[in-house]
Amino acid sequence: MKFTLSWLKDHLETEADVHQIAEAMTMAGLEVEEVLDPAAKLAPFTVARILSAERHPNADRLQVCQVETVDGVKEIVCGAPNARAGLTTIYAPIGAYVPGLGVTLVEKPVRGVVSNGMLCSASELELADESDGIQELPPEIPVGTPVAGLFGAEPVIDFEVTPNRPDWLGVAGIARDLAAASVGKLKHFDIAVVRGAFPSPITVRLDAPEMCPVFAGRVIRGVKNGPSPAWLQKRLTAIGVKSHNRLVDVTNLIAYDRARPLHVYDVAKLVGTEIVVRGGQVSAGTAHIEGGEPEHLIALDGKTYTASAADCVIADAGGERPIGLGGVMGGESTGCDETTTDVFIESAWFDPLVIAQTGRALGIHSDAQYRFARGVDPVSVTPGLELATRLILDLCGGEPSEIVFVGAPPASPAPFAFDPAYVKRLTGMDLDDDRIGTILGQLGFLVTAAPAGQAEPWTVTPPSWRRDVEGRADLVEEVARIEGFDSLPDTPLPEVARPAGGVLSPRQARVRTARRALAALGYAEAVTWSFTKQSTAALFGGGDDRLVLENPIAADLDCMRPSALPNLIQAAARNAARGFDDAALFEIGPIYLGDGPKDQRTVIAALVAPHAARHWAGAGEDALFALKADLTTLLEEIGAPVASLQLAQGQNRDWWHPGRSARLQLGPKNVMVEFGELHPRVLKALDADGPMLGFEIVLDAVPEPRGKSGKARGSADLSAFMPLTRDFAFVVEDAKPVGDLVRATAGADKALIADVRVFDVYRGKGVDDGFKSVALEVVIQPREATLAEAEIEALTAKIVAAVEKQGGRLRA
């Protein structure tokens, strides 16, 4: 929303300048975006007079002009067809920035002749949309006169309107709030009733009162349309609204001045004498035929729109021909032009939800749609029509008919009880009752004494344009806003003792530890949506209708995610599409397995896409083991019971690659982690190139670490004896997890065995089909004395016996 200071002063008596107005608006809760000062932009440009104009020696379409400027006589090369001796125009010196061209002038030759400046058109200074040549000014204007003063350029305030304040979409509404904030005195204008000279030949029928409960209009015959007067064109163009003609400009002026959209129809282009307000339907002649084509409308913007039953349509020809989308945009077929002599003015109130949905469905964002979608004042229907009538009669002449009024506006906001003591109770502001009542009265609220028996002393009725005010807290906010938020007391809150255990809960501390550990391992943190596409959720065991959003923020984010992996896969695919295909990402966040609070889980998910550069040695097969190593490191960092975890293969869900994935669990009912390679089918569905590997830790399933005993950690228990190693090769069934052999070996003698490492897995000659040979290196660490050969043999027997219990046998 934009307005100029002079426009504001039509409604507000004030001596404040534009910057003081902007500051007062900010303090009153209006979010000022910027103050645009075209005068500053036009400061370098002054009036000049061409003394002579000769053809350029090296170009037929250029002229070399001798120009009298504020800097003396300058030689300037000009290509405008209207450049001639004696013409008064606009001069730009070297170094000036020309906004319409986006260039800064420098001294350089043009076809061999140096141009010492530039002669400008109105469009080059952004004073007009287009120009046929350089600007022609009256000859009596002195040379050197600043151009900014000639065109009446004045600052423009641009501010953001919150959805709950549609009254701010009119300059009169802004003036009302500023007057309440003591910036000036509000001017009150009574809109004179214009008596009709004859009954309106156009009647109105409401077939959809739920979309348009009230509609008013009147005919004005004998108007003379044409370009608007300079004051009206200037007022609209200053805020970026293009001037069309007098009739259209009047409706735009009232929309921005009073937040009251209107529309004018050319009566000569209407079919019949009745305007019908209805919902969209199938095309004429097929209204009762199943499967008929929906009707179409060519709007004033030249585009064709399809109206559905949810859209409000204005129609003529007995309700058959659509001539406009109610509250959104009129139709091209009944638009006004310079040949228009009789007009019908529409002033109606449309349901905000209907208009918002129509604008969203059809992609129309007109000024009328923007205002009606937020809620226009229903009481302004007749006053807006009367004001438009008066302006059209003043600018275009003509004779008005009587007003046609159909339907009834929605009820005004209901009164409610209010105690002014709530202001101090909720804000701490110590204001007397008179000040509170004055503020509310200046904002349009009706404050009366409460009836007998009511506990609160006041009854407050919100004005018709403030439907966002529903209770006492809203009134307190209004008083605080106008009095000034800088008047709020700055009493500090009482000190709260910090908990002895720190400010982070164990869960929060664990998340922070995990984040730092993964970053240290080379993973980059990703923050993605908690939503995904329903079809994507189905790939990961989700997609339940209970988790589908009724009002998603985007079509491809319509379902709560059952896993964090699909978002990470898509993020890695986007990086790969931009040349960064070797990704390592992680995310810590929620997943959703059902519609109850107990069905929400917090997970730590990570993904790697091992796409290293090509090398003669190949990519290797160590990516999965590297991922497992990172997973083990992370689990140890967050205090998970790694030594007690069981590794289970073949039980992962179907988005994991069979044979290249596993799970870690504390018993069959507490699955803590799933990890491995993602299934190629899933990657193809997400348009991602494999391979990709990942893991997902359910943080809720990780037991909290045991509390500290308080004892200090003892010194390192280092042995004085050299360790020794022994190699073993065991033959086991091919399906037997190698980890089971490692755990069995390590548990054969926990006092002496320091480590067990797998260094070879063999299948082939010498090993039966369906079996494999697993080679283990066992590190033995003596504690009290060097081991004798008999002790080593006894330990070897323990190891072999432990592995045999797992189904293995020592390879010969």
Side-chain angles (χ1 to χ4, degrees):
M1 174 68 185
K2 298 179 181 179
F3 66 93
T4 60
L5 182 59
S6 62
W7 195 341
L8 178 68
K9 288 185 176 181
D10 285 350
H11 298 277
L12 185 71
E13 293 181 9
T14 181
E15 298 298 325
D17 61 26
V18 66
H19 297 289
Q20 292 171 328
I21 293 293
E23 176 65 20
M25 290 174 63
T26 300
M27 296 307 297
L30 290 89
E31 184 179 347
V32 176
E33 295 284 343
E34 62 178 328
V35 177
L36 307 170
D37 190 356
K41 185 170 57 177
L42 297 176
F45 304 94
T46 55
V47 173
R49 184 172 292 108
I50 301 177
L51 301 177
S52 66
E54 304 292 338
R55 178 176 295 179
H56 193 291
N58 301 319
D60 293 339
R61 295 187 179 182
L62 298 178
Q63 297 186 76
V64 179
C65 303
Q66 302 300 319
V67 184
E68 181 185 2
T69 73
V70 68
D71 301 321
V73 177
K74 298 287 185 179
E75 186 173 72
I76 298 175
V77 178
C78 182
N82 62 334
R84 62 186 182 275
L87 177 66
T88 302
T89 185
I90 299 174
Y91 159 68
I94 297 297
Y97 176 77
V98 183
L101 300 178
V103 298
T104 300
L105 299 182
V106 296
E107 186 176 337
K108 66 177 183 179
V110 180
R111 293 289 184 93
V113 178
V114 175
S115 182
N116 298 286
M118 178 180 177
L119 303 179
C120 303
S121 67
S123 61
E124 288 166 339
L125 300 188
E126 296 183 337
L127 297 171
D129 291 334
E130 55 185 26
S131 301
D132 295 331
I134 58 177
Q135 181 69 28
E136 298 191 19
L137 298 174
E140 60 271 15
I141 301 178
V143 171
T145 302
V147 169
L150 295 178
F151 290 91
E154 59 176 322
V156 175
I157 295 177
D158 184 5
F159 71 101
E160 186 70 26
V161 179
T162 54
N164 66 316
R165 292 303 303 271
D167 56 308
W168 283 346
L169 291 169
V171 179
I174 303 164
R176 183 189 303 111
D177 276 31
L178 290 175
S182 303
V183 180
K185 183 179 180 181
L186 186 66
K187 299 179 181 179
H188 295 279
F189 298 100
D190 293 328
I191 300 176
V193 175
V194 181
R195 297 188 178 276
F198 57 93
S200 172
I202 304 297
T203 60
V204 177
R205 187 176 85 231
L206 295 181
D207 286 353
E210 71 281 0
M211 295 181 175
C212 176
V214 60
F215 191 109
R218 78 182 336 156
V219 171
I220 302 180
R221 63 190 182 191
V223 300
K224 184 178 180 181
N225 200 10
S228 295
W231 70 267
L232 181 52
Q233 292 189 39
K234 175 184 172 183
R235 176 150 291 183
L236 294 177
T237 56
I239 62 172
V241 178
K242 183 179 180 181
S243 175
H244 296 276
N245 53 58
R246 296 173 191 171
L247 293 171
V248 175
D249 289 355
V250 164
T251 63
N252 286 334
L253 176 70
I254 296 175
Y256 280 88
D257 189 71
R258 302 298 176 100
R260 162 36 66 183
L262 304 164
H263 187 65
V264 287
Y265 301 90
D266 189 329
V267 173
K269 298 177 182 178
L270 292 173
V271 178
T273 60
E274 184 181 45
I275 287 178
V276 180
V277 184
R278 57 171 174 79
Q281 62 184 26
V282 293
S283 56
T286 63
H288 304 289
I289 300 176
E290 185 177 354
E293 290 293 327
E295 60 188 350
H296 296 79
L297 169 74
I298 302 177
L300 287 172
D301 60 0
K303 299 179 181 179
T304 301
Y305 298 99
T306 301
S308 70
D311 303 321
C312 183
V313 172
I314 312 296
D316 63 1
E320 292 297 326
R321 185 182 74 145
I323 59 174
L325 292 168
V328 178
M329 187 174 291
E332 189 179 74
S333 60
T334 56
C336 296
D337 52 36
E338 295 193 0
T339 65
T340 300
T341 57
D342 298 341
V343 297
F344 180 79
I345 311 173
E346 166 196 299
S347 180
W349 190 87
F350 299 94
D351 182 80
L353 184 59
V354 172
I355 303 307
Q357 291 175 338
T358 297
R360 181 176 181 180
L362 301 181
I364 303 178
H365 304 286
S366 64
D367 286 342
Q369 188 271 341
Y370 186 78
R371 284 164 170 76
F372 278 119
R374 282 156 178 77
V376 173
D377 180 9
V379 179
S380 68
V381 170
T382 300
L385 181 59
E386 296 283 15
L387 181 59
T389 301
R390 175 57 59 194
L391 286 172
I392 290 175
L393 293 178
D394 291 344
L395 298 177
C396 306
E399 185 180 30
S401 75
E402 296 173 353
I403 290 178
V404 178
F405 192 96
V406 183
S412 295
F416 53 86
F418 180 69
D419 186 347
Y422 282 122
V423 174
K424 182 174 178 59
R425 185 180 306 173
L426 297 184
T427 68
M429 289 182 172
D430 194 6
L431 304 177
D432 56 45
D433 292 358
D434 289 342
R435 175 57 180 159
I436 296 172
T438 299
I439 291 175
L440 295 177
Q442 289 178 320
L443 291 175
F445 294 87
L446 178 61
V447 180
T448 58
Q454 179 175 298
E456 289 82 356
W458 291 356
T459 297
V460 179
T461 304
S464 57
W465 60 84
R466 290 303 305 274
R467 296 178 177 271
D468 60 307
V469 176
E470 299 176 346
R472 299 175 300 184
D474 295 328
L475 292 181
V476 172
E477 181 181 357
E478 291 299 300
V479 173
R481 179 175 65 86
I482 296 302
E483 183 65 19
F485 293 122
D486 54 347
S487 299
L488 291 170
D490 56 359
T491 304
L493 294 172
E495 288 288 339
V496 177
R498 177 175 295 184
V503 296
L504 294 181
S505 67
R507 170 69 63 83
Q508 292 170 328
R510 178 173 275 177
V511 166
R512 184 174 67 174
T513 300
R515 183 174 285 114
R516 292 179 175 178
L518 284 167
L521 289 169
Y523 291 78
E525 184 173 10
V527 180
T528 68
W529 296 104
S530 293
F531 324 114
T532 188
K533 197 173 183 180
Q534 187 177 10
S535 58
T536 301
L539 295 173
F540 288 80
D544 193 316
D545 289 342
R546 296 175 301 167
L547 296 178
V548 175
L549 303 175
E550 292 184 1
N551 186 24
I553 60 175
D556 57 349
L557 296 173
D558 61 346
C559 185
M560 305 303 291
R561 65 182 185 185
S563 169
L565 288 173
N567 289 353
L568 292 180
I569 293 171
Q570 292 173 320
R574 285 192 296 271
N575 277 273
R578 289 158 178 79
F580 301 94
D581 50 3
D582 193 19
L585 305 173
F586 80 92
E587 181 177 9
I588 303 176
I591 62 171
Y592 305 88
L593 307 179
D595 57 356
K598 294 183 178 180
D599 295 321
Q600 180 175 325
R601 302 284 190 273
T602 300
V603 298
I604 304 172
L607 181 90
V608 292
H611 296 161
R614 290 185 297 175
H615 191 268
W616 65 270
E621 293 292 329
D622 58 347
L624 181 57
F625 298 104
L627 177 78
K628 183 183 177 184
D630 292 344
L631 172 59
T632 303
T633 301
L634 175 60
L635 291 172
E636 291 174 345
E637 288 289 334
I638 64 175
V642 177
S644 302
L645 292 178
Q646 302 170 356
L647 185 142
Q649 290 182 273
Q651 300 180 31
N652 275 19
R653 288 169 285 191
D654 58 2
W655 56 88
W656 297 103
H657 195 302
R660 295 185 60 81
S661 60
R663 59 170 54 173
L664 297 176
Q665 58 192 32
L666 287 171
K669 294 185 178 181
N670 187 4
V671 179
M672 189 182 302
V673 187
E674 288 188 348
F675 71 98
E677 183 174 331
L678 277 304
H679 200 292
R681 169 184 55 82
V682 173
L683 298 181
K684 183 178 180 180
L686 296 180
D687 197 23
D689 294 332
M692 288 188 182
L693 303 94
F695 61 76
E696 195 165 52
I697 304 172
V698 181
L699 199 56
D700 307 76
V702 181
E704 295 289 347
R706 295 179 180 178
K708 297 181 180 179
S709 63
K711 295 180 180 180
R713 179 181 296 180
S715 58
D717 183 17
L718 301 178
S719 175
F721 302 95
M722 289 291 293
L724 64 150
T725 62
R726 287 293 183 268
D727 294 344
F728 297 84
F730 294 102
V731 177
V732 294
E733 292 182 358
D734 203 14
K736 184 67 175 179
V738 175
D740 291 350
L741 305 185
V742 172
R743 280 192 294 271
T745 302
D749 192 325
K750 295 181 179 180
L752 290 176
I753 298 175
D755 194 12
V756 180
R757 293 189 286 263
V758 180
F759 66 88
D760 185 38
V761 177
Y762 171 75
R763 299 175 184 86
K765 186 177 179 180
V767 177
D768 296 339
D769 292 340
F771 288 82
K772 61 187 175 184
S773 173
V774 179
L776 304 178
E777 181 186 42
V778 180
V779 180
I780 304 170
Q781 178 63 65
R783 291 291 176 181
E784 299 178 355
T786 302
L787 296 179
E789 187 66 27
E791 293 174 312
I792 296 176
E793 290 299 330
L795 178 60
T796 300
K798 288 183 180 180
I799 294 173
V800 172
V803 174
E804 286 177 348
K805 290 181 181 179
Q806 296 292 326
R809 58 180 175 81
L810 192 63
R811 184 178 176 188

